[in-house]
Amino acid sequence: MIIAKVIGNVWTTQKEKGMENLKLLIVRPIGHDNEFIEDIFVAVDRIGAGISETVLITKGSPAQKVCGDQNTPIDAAIVGIVDSYDIA
């Protein structure tokens, strides 16, 4: 899983079958010092995350399972909104 910051929204008028009611957000992974560490990507959001929130993301086939259909073209999904975390 990946910890990331939500930095934007994606709006589409046409989507593939199975994605019609899915919200898409632009996210960017962050490191232990809260700095951006990787390039941005788009993730499906079914839990109601918003701009500037820190989120937990799963990628690959587990992301497809979040949407309930293995044939939906999903690569990343937000699976949690992070309240806090500690690094020793």
Side-chain angles (χ1 to χ4, degrees):
M1 283 192 253
I2 299 166
I3 295 177
K5 195 71 94 167
V6 178
I7 61 170
N9 290 294
V10 176
W11 291 276
T12 60
T13 55
Q14 299 291 319
K15 293 182 186 176
E16 281 292 324
K17 181 181 177 190
M19 294 182 63
E20 297 89 352
N21 297 315
L22 297 177
K23 179 177 154 187
L24 303 174
L25 295 176
I26 301 169
V27 297
R28 188 158 188 198
I30 56 174
H32 68 279
D33 55 0
N34 227 18
E35 295 292 322
F36 294 126
I37 58 171
E38 293 179 29
D39 289 334
I40 65 171
F41 59 91
V42 177
V44 168
D45 175 39
R46 293 184 55 193
I47 61 172
I51 302 294
S52 79
E53 287 194 290
T54 302
V55 294
L56 191 59
I57 295 173
T58 188
K59 292 181 88 175
S61 60
Q64 288 179 313
K65 290 178 184 175
V66 168
C67 296
D69 183 357
Q70 296 291 0
N71 296 319
T72 303
I74 304 283
D75 184 51
I78 296 170
V79 294
I81 297 173
V82 177
D83 295 315
S84 67
Y85 60 94
D86 292 322
I87 298 175

